[in-house]
Amino acid sequence: MATLTISGLNKTYGKKQALNDVNLDIADGEFFVMLGPSGAGKTTMLKSIAGLQEVDSGSVVIGGITMDDVEPYRRNVAMAFESYALYPQKTVFENLASPLRSGRTGKYSAADQQSRIDAVTTTLGINHLLQRLPKELSNGQRQRVALGRVLVRPADVYLLDEPLSHLDAKLRASMRAELKRLGQMSNTTSVYVTHDYQEALSLGDRIGILREGHLVQVGTPSDVWLRPVDTFVARSLGQPEMNVFDARFENGRVVDRAGLVSIEPAPSLGLVEGPKVRIGLRPSDIAVTPTPRPGHLHMKGRVQLVERLGRLVELSVVVGEEDIIVISDGEHPVAEHDEVLLQVSPHLVHIFEGTTDDPSAETLRIGAAQELTTAGVHHG
């Protein structure tokens, strides 16, 4: 167990800036999730921590010790690669035992090895595969073996590079719960990389969102969900994505371009009048209602598409010039081409100011609302 501090980390590949002045403090025993799309710099971050690649500038400090010029095997970190990296000639048991037999990780008796391997393989559901070779396993089984090889040995930091990406949906959901339990039991500092927002929200004590090498936002799952700093973060969390459409702020009110949504933000937010404003509405925050509720925003639209998602229903609704996605609980059944009334509480409206086509122009000024007449305002 150890703290992890990253300071001013920069890495380029030719003209590509993979990491751009990344600064991050991870607490002892924290399960930290790095979220971002492909090419955002997530794996580069893990490899830099592990010492598997040189950085252009910056430092990595593990347990108060600077890792400059420290070889990877002396950093006492354990890393699970997305590509498995298993020994093809060794059985599952031998693959799992290999880090316990290395002189660099200390000496473990045969009984200790067996005990640790039994505990991890039972949790991962691979205890019946111990005598098989990797070629005899499915992709999902190989990935669980690769993850088990990391978890079986004590380390100061676990580095997990999308360890669930090749699992089917049902197994991935159950493994998320097991990983969370394992993290709580081991209390080992962990950095977990994923492009799946559900994994990030369910696993992370905190989440860091990466965009093109920039660490855009760091916060608890609740923080980044309720107070995204820009539209990139807002759309990175949630499926379907947040509805975002152009608006303007004039005469003390934020109004979308069709005049359908009108909201009065609190004066204390310091919103500057002008056209560069966007309104964000999460599909799950919009309700279909038969009658308007006082104090809520209301929009009339026509349903274009209805998709059943098990217990929930996804609606595509045309409201003026906007196509708005709504997640409904089906309490008020609707069909395609029906006219519907949509409502949303004002404190669930996000306002992004200073917005251009480049989302990096947006930064957070004030987060979620504290009162019904106050919208979450994000300034650029």
Side-chain angles (χ1 to χ4, degrees):
M1 297 182 291
T3 58
L4 172 62
T5 301
I6 298 168
S7 303
L9 213 58
N10 288 279
K11 176 63 180 177
T12 57
Y13 297 101
K15 295 182 179 179
K16 170 70 173 178
Q17 184 89 26
L19 296 176
N20 195 329
D21 193 29
V22 175
N23 296 278
L24 183 62
D25 289 303
I26 299 176
D28 186 3
E30 182 176 11
F31 199 109
F32 188 90
V33 178
M34 194 70 64
L35 175 68
S38 297
K42 305 186 300 298
T43 299
T44 300
M45 174 82 78
L46 291 191
K47 289 182 177 179
S48 299
I49 296 170
L52 299 178
Q53 65 180 17
E54 293 184 3
V55 296
D56 300 332
S57 60
S59 66
V60 174
V61 178
I62 299 175
I65 301 174
T66 301
M67 294 292 110
D68 295 349
D69 301 321
V70 177
E71 293 296 328
Y73 66 87
R74 293 191 180 276
R75 297 191 178 200
N76 198 28
V77 301
M79 184 168 177
F81 298 90
E82 185 181 0
S83 58
Y84 317 134
L86 300 175
Y87 297 111
Q89 76 280 15
K90 294 185 177 183
T91 64
V92 169
F93 182 90
E94 291 169 335
N95 267 281
L96 293 168
S98 59
L100 300 177
R101 294 171 177 172
S102 170
R104 294 169 179 169
T105 58
K107 294 183 178 180
Y108 294 86
S109 67
D112 286 340
Q113 293 177 30
Q114 187 70 56
S115 175
R116 299 187 71 88
I117 290 171
D118 285 346
V120 169
T121 55
T122 299
T123 298
L124 295 176
I126 55 174
N127 52 324
H128 62 294
L129 305 173
L130 294 178
Q131 299 310 313
R132 295 191 188 181
L133 295 172
K135 66 181 181 181
E136 299 173 310
L137 306 177
S138 68
N139 283 341
Q141 290 169 338
R142 289 177 194 148
Q143 192 160 45
R144 279 182 280 168
V145 174
L147 178 59
R149 192 170 58 181
V150 171
L151 300 177
V152 78
R153 56 158 287 200
D156 287 335
V157 180
Y158 289 152
L159 304 174
L160 309 174
D161 190 1
E162 303 204 42
L164 307 183
S165 60
H166 295 294
L167 305 183
D168 60 61
K170 182 178 180 180
L171 184 55
R172 191 161 58 243
S174 65
M175 281 301 304
R176 281 202 299 267
E178 293 296 344
L179 269 177
K180 193 170 185 69
R181 188 171 68 86
L182 277 170
Q184 293 168 345
M185 289 174 58
S186 68
N187 199 33
T188 301
T189 306
S190 303
V191 182
Y192 184 102
V193 155
T194 184
H195 62 270
D196 185 331
Y197 81 94
Q198 289 182 318
E199 285 184 13
L201 292 173
S202 64
L203 287 173
D205 297 322
R206 285 190 303 154
I207 301 171
I209 294 92
L210 270 176
R211 175 184 61 221
E212 297 180 350
H214 294 268
L215 191 57
V216 182
Q217 183 174 2
V218 175
T220 65
S222 177
D223 286 338
V224 296
W225 178 265
L226 295 174
R227 291 173 284 276
V229 298
D230 58 24
T231 54
F232 174 84
V233 175
R235 286 173 159 170
S236 296
L237 301 166
Q239 186 61 37
E241 296 179 349
M242 177 183 282
N243 299 287
V244 179
F245 40 93
D246 293 334
R248 61 187 183 277
F249 179 50
E250 58 186 22
N251 300 322
R253 300 190 73 82
V254 174
V255 184
D256 76 292
R257 61 185 178 183
L260 299 165
V261 176
S262 179
I263 188 169
E264 181 181 355
S268 61
L269 298 183
L271 197 62
V272 179
E273 294 208 3
K276 292 184 179 180
V277 180
R278 284 182 181 176
I279 291 175
L281 302 174
R282 290 203 182 278
S284 56
D285 291 335
I286 306 171
V288 177
T289 181
T291 55
R293 182 177 176 181
H296 283 55
L297 302 178
H298 299 93
M299 300 172 282
K300 289 183 178 179
R302 185 176 295 274
V303 177
Q304 293 292 101
L305 183 65
V306 178
E307 293 184 80
R308 174 145 310 265
L309 307 173
R311 181 175 60 85
L312 302 176
V313 179
E314 180 178 325
L315 308 176
S316 178
V317 183
V318 176
V319 180
E321 300 177 11
E322 307 292 347
D323 291 321
I324 296 180
I325 302 299
V326 179
I327 297 297
S328 170
D329 59 9
E331 181 180 353
H332 305 291
V334 296
E336 292 176 2
H337 311 302
D338 282 358
E339 287 193 356
V340 293
L341 179 64
L342 307 179
Q343 77 175 11
V344 60
S345 177
H347 78 284
L348 297 176
V349 177
H350 297 267
I351 300 173
F352 300 93
E353 189 191 15
T355 308
T356 66
D357 290 335
D358 177 11
S360 64
E362 302 165 347
T363 54
L364 178 69
R365 179 178 176 86
I366 291 186
Q370 299 300 315
E371 52 184 312
L372 285 180
T373 58
T374 303
V377 177
H378 311 256
H379 268 244

